[in-house]
């Protein structure tokens, strides 16, 4: 695809082009993709419904959290955090990030994939900085 105008890229080492956020799974959170176990962890009480109801409820909560996050709709996943970064260790925020991963990106508008919730690792997100144009 041809870009219809010239694009100039400036690299300024003293100013990064992304914000970084490290999202960690809580240490006591069960390492599973079973929505019943995850809802029991989140609620602190046994899940009373069926497995299908648990899947629907967990997906609903993930979508609700994703809509409430102040993240851009796309974030890159990298292997190392940036020089300055924030850290979040919240179960539902971690579920939102993990379940919306596609390759090396997070797409907040994507349907949650609950199978991705059994991964143990932290997620290092790099958000593009919003640039003001003159």
């Amino acid at each position: 695809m041809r870009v219809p105008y010239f694009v100039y890229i400036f690299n300024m080492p003293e100013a990064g082009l992304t914000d970084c956020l490290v999202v960690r799974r809580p240490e006591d959170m069960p390492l599973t993709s079973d929505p019943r176990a995850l809802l029991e962890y989140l609620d602190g009480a046994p899940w009373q419904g069926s497995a299908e109801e648990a899947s629907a409820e967990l997906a609903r909560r993930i979508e609700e959290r994703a809509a409430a996050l102040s993240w851009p709709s796309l974030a890159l996943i990298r292997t190392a955090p940036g020089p300055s970064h924030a850290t979040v260790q919240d179960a539902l925020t971690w579920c939102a990030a993990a379940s919306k991963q596609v390759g090396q990106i997070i797409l907040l508008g994507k349907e949650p994939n609950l199978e991705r919730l059994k991964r143990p690792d932290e997620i290092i997100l790099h958000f593009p900085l919003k640039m003001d144009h003159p």
Side-chain angles (χ1 to χ4, degrees):
M1 181 173 100
R2 185 178 171 154
V3 179
Y5 50 85
F6 291 102
V7 175
Y8 296 93
I9 298 175
F10 297 93
N11 186 4
M12 300 174 288
E14 68 279 355
L17 298 176
T18 62
D19 280 332
C20 181
L21 177 66
V22 177
V23 183
R24 291 198 173 111
R25 172 188 207 104
E27 293 175 11
D28 62 340
M29 186 175 173
L31 187 60
T32 181
S33 61
D34 180 359
R36 293 169 296 188
L38 293 169
L39 286 171
E40 287 178 8
Y41 172 79
L42 291 170
D43 295 342
W47 174 254
Q48 299 299 318
S50 69
E52 293 80 25
E53 291 170 330
S55 291
E57 176 62 15
L58 184 57
R60 184 193 68 75
R61 290 185 193 188
I62 287 171
E63 290 291 3
E64 191 175 88
R65 176 57 57 94
L69 293 171
S70 62
W71 302 353
S73 59
L74 180 139
L76 301 174
I77 298 174
R78 298 285 168 91
T79 56
S84 65
H85 63 274
T87 301
V88 172
Q89 192 167 13
D90 173 71
L92 200 50
T93 301
W94 186 89
C95 287
S99 70
K100 292 178 174 281
Q101 180 178 351
V102 178
Q104 294 302 305
I105 60 174
I106 300 289
L107 295 171
L108 284 186
K110 175 191 168 303
E111 291 288 321
N113 178 349
L114 301 182
E115 281 300 310
R116 292 201 172 267
L117 300 179
K118 59 184 168 191
R119 61 185 284 182
D121 52 334
E122 66 187 12
I123 303 169
I124 303 169
L125 302 175
H126 290 262
F127 304 112
L129 289 177
K130 183 178 179 182
M131 300 289 194
D132 293 326
H133 297 287

